[in-house]
């Protein structure tokens, strides 16, 4: 196996047919077919089934595809870093970023940095947190910007923005609490109990919950700790998905406060009493590996302008 044969293989898989891949690679089909047969012969197994419509990957073929992509990315990254080694204010910065960061001040700071450094190219990868961690571990990212909480890692972690989790859903999910709060206020009980912009953990318990997949064990464990029911109706990997299904009336979304914005007048956003869960935006990087100067500059720019007071 070499770089070229792996590149050919990945192109064949992503194109769906050898003929389509040959067109992308600007070569004729027979030589490409021969390359695929040679690769299978070298590995001693079939990588895909050839049909008249599309190729179908075998288990070994899927494994090779996943690993080959990482190998190709690493080689491309190495070429890029060698090329940029002596460049101080230009080059490519590869950033991983979760979708819920896009509407925050951090994205604006990255844009400002790019304007101040016209020689820098931003290569932004958007995915969920755990996919970002995999990319960072494979060294195909210089750093990533993700949300807590997640399983602890060996990467260097710097907080950029402090945040918290709020509850968001249609008014009918909170009508009972609002009625109780109104009655409490009428009878002269504590002002805190009568606030309509908060919800207690006990009142949240048992409601249909929408949340990030990776938060389920952490938040569910908290409910278990307090011996309260916890019912998940939708788990997902994106704040926009949580928002969409809360607007559809599926349940109450537990979301980062910075992403809890809706134009729907029937949607209510409530603070959770005691703010039991933090969801900080953090920058992760591997401080034991090489970073090009332009990546260091952007990392330092973000750290020097962070806001951890909110």
């Amino acid at each position: 196996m070499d770089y070229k044969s792996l590149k050919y293989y990945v192109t064949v898989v992503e194109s769906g047919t050898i003929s389509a891949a040959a067109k992308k690679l600007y070569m004729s089909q027979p030589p490409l077919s021969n390359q695929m047969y040679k690769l299978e012969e070298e590995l001693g197994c079939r990588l895909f089934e050839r049909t008249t419509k599309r190729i179908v990957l075998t288990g070994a073929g899927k494994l090779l595809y996943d690993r080959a992509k990482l190998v190709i990315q690493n080689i491309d990254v190495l070429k890029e870093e060698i090329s940029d080694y002596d460049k101080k204010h230009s080059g490519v910065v590869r950033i991983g970023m979760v979708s819920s960061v896009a509407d925050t001040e951090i994205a604006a700071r990255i844009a400002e940095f790019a304007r101040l450094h016209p020689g820098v190219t931003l290569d932004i990868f958007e995915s969920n947190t755990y996919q970002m961690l995999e990319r960072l571990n494979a060294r195909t990212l210089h750093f990533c910007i993700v949300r807590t909480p997640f399983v602890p890692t060996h990467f260097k972690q710097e907080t950029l923005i402090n945040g918290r989790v709020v509850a968001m859903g249609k008014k009918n999910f909170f009508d009972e609490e609002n009625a109780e709060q109104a009655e409490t206020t009428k009878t002269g009980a504590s002002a805190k109990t009568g606030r309509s912009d908060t919800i207690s953990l006990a009142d949240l318990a048992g409601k249909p919950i929408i949340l990030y997949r990776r938060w389920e064990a952490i938040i569910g464990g908290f409910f278990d700790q307090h011996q309260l029911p916890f019912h998940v109706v939708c788990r997902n990997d994106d704040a926009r998905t949580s928002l969409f299904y809360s607007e559809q009336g599926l349940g109450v979304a537990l979301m980062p406060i910075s992403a809890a914005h809706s134009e729907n007048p029937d949607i209510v956003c409530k603070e959770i009493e005691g703010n039991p869960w933090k969801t900080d935006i953090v920058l992760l990087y591997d401080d034991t590996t090489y970073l090009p100067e332009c990546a260091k500059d952007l990392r330092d720019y973000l750290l020097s302008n962070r806001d951890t007071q909110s």
Side-chain angles (χ1 to χ4, degrees):
M1 284 188 294
D2 56 21
Y3 177 83
K4 183 183 288 186
S5 63
L6 291 179
K7 186 81 170 177
Y8 285 173
Y9 177 70
V10 167
T11 305
V12 167
V13 174
E14 293 178 348
S15 301
T17 65
I18 292 178
S19 59
K23 288 179 183 177
K24 285 186 181 179
L25 294 167
Y26 301 101
M27 62 190 296
S28 59
Q29 184 174 337
L32 183 57
S33 293
N34 289 336
Q35 285 276 359
M36 295 302 98
Y37 280 119
K38 285 180 181 177
L39 189 57
E40 287 179 321
E41 188 177 300
E42 180 183 350
L43 294 172
C45 62
R46 291 186 69 81
L47 298 173
F48 46 76
E49 303 297 336
R50 295 154 176 83
T51 70
T52 54
K53 294 183 179 178
R54 292 182 65 86
I55 62 168
V56 178
L57 289 180
T58 63
K62 177 68 168 60
L63 177 61
L64 179 62
Y65 172 67
D66 292 339
R67 299 293 173 85
K69 282 198 303 182
L70 285 176
V71 170
I72 290 168
Q73 287 170 0
N74 275 311
I75 292 173
D76 290 342
V77 165
L78 178 59
K79 288 179 180 176
E80 187 182 280
E81 289 180 347
I82 295 298
S83 174
D84 293 343
Y85 185 78
D86 290 325
K87 298 174 183 175
K88 299 300 181 186
H89 300 294
S90 62
V92 178
V93 184
R94 295 184 310 283
I95 313 165
M97 194 183 300
V98 294
S99 61
S100 59
V101 173
D103 293 331
T104 67
E105 182 61 28
I106 294 170
R109 291 173 199 157
I110 292 172
E112 179 62 23
F113 177 87
R115 285 192 290 271
L116 294 171
H117 301 81
V120 171
T121 298
L122 301 176
D123 201 356
I124 298 175
F125 297 86
E126 296 168 290
S127 189
N128 66 54
T129 294
Y130 286 121
Q131 288 171 327
M132 292 300 171
L133 296 177
E134 287 176 11
R135 281 182 174 271
L136 192 58
N137 200 48
R139 300 184 182 180
T140 59
L141 294 176
H142 290 130
F143 56 80
C144 61
I145 301 169
V146 297
R147 281 191 178 276
T148 63
F150 49 80
V151 176
T153 71
H154 66 279
F155 300 119
K156 181 77 172 177
Q157 179 172 316
E158 301 278 4
T159 300
L160 296 177
I161 296 179
N162 290 137
R164 57 196 182 278
V165 176
V166 295
M168 197 168 187
K170 285 201 167 184
K171 292 176 182 176
N172 61 286
F173 286 112
F174 304 108
D175 283 346
E176 186 178 334
E177 286 74 36
N178 289 340
E180 288 177 359
Q181 288 167 354
E183 183 62 28
T184 304
T185 304
K186 189 189 299 184
T187 57
S190 72
K192 182 178 180 183
T193 307
R195 284 176 58 191
S196 61
D197 60 342
T198 64
I199 185 169
S200 69
L201 198 65
D203 286 334
L204 195 57
K207 295 189 187 298
I209 298 295
I210 302 166
L211 82 173
Y212 289 174
R213 190 183 319 279
R214 63 188 175 81
W215 287 4
E216 184 175 3
I218 296 166
I219 291 178
F222 195 84
F223 276 88
D224 287 345
Q225 228 177 358
H226 290 77
Q227 298 182 323
L228 293 170
F230 180 60
H231 171 51
V232 176
V233 70
C234 175
R235 57 181 68 85
N236 62 80
D237 300 306
D238 194 306
R240 293 168 297 188
T241 304
S242 290
L243 178 60
F244 173 80
Y245 284 109
S246 69
E247 289 178 329
Q248 296 302 306
L250 186 63
V252 176
L254 299 182
M255 310 184 50
I257 190 169
S258 61
H261 306 293
S262 175
E263 300 297 322
N264 189 329
D266 290 328
I267 293 296
V268 173
C269 180
K270 289 185 177 264
E271 298 272 0
I272 302 166
E273 288 181 9
N275 291 318
W277 307 296
K278 291 181 66 180
T279 174
D280 298 336
I281 298 176
V282 298
L283 185 148
L284 297 178
Y285 64 96
D286 190 339
D287 58 356
T288 66
T289 61
Y290 167 77
L291 276 183
E293 290 300 317
C294 56
K296 288 180 186 175
D297 287 345
L298 176 52
R299 180 197 64 192
D300 295 345
Y301 183 80
L302 292 174
L303 294 179
S304 66
N305 288 280
R306 56 184 161 176
D307 176 13
T308 58
Q309 303 305 310
S310 58

